[in-house]
Amino acid sequence: MFGHHHSSLSVPLSLIGTFAVMYLGISASQSVADGMTIATGFVVDDAIVMIENISRYIELARRRSRPRSRAPGRSASPSYR
């Protein structure tokens, strides 16, 4: 019901938040570096989740068959898909 209103507010709120942070003394380059650090963390976290999921299926395969064919589809949403 209220979902369409959130998209119309996201850009103005992002701009206000950006200028508020810059007003506090954090430069744009520092914000970009922080964003890259967070994005890298997400990629590493997704990779760890995928490796754990594949290793879980390999462990299950020792008891059954076909481990790796279903492992990538079982995670929620890896960033490199």
Side-chain angles (χ1 to χ4, degrees), residues 9 15 34 61-62 65:
L9 293 176
L15 288 174
D34 292 343
R62 292 184 180 150
S65 63

Side-chain angles (χ1 to χ4, degrees), residues 52-79:
E52 288 176 347
N53 200 19
I54 289 171
S55 66
R56 183 173 62 92
Y57 269 97
I58 290 172
E59 186 63 34
L60 287 174
R62 292 184 180 150
R63 297 178 224 150
R64 298 180 192 169
S65 63
R66 290 195 268 146
R68 287 162 270 166
S69 63
R70 296 183 307 205
R74 299 288 281 189
S75 351
S77 61
S79 61

Side-chain angles (χ1 to χ4, degrees), residues 33-55:
D34 292 343
M36 290 296 289
T37 302
I38 292 171
T40 303
F42 282 140
V43 170
V44 170
D45 184 53
D46 287 343
I48 291 170
V49 168
M50 287 299 296
I51 289 170
E52 288 176 347
N53 200 19
I54 289 171
S55 66

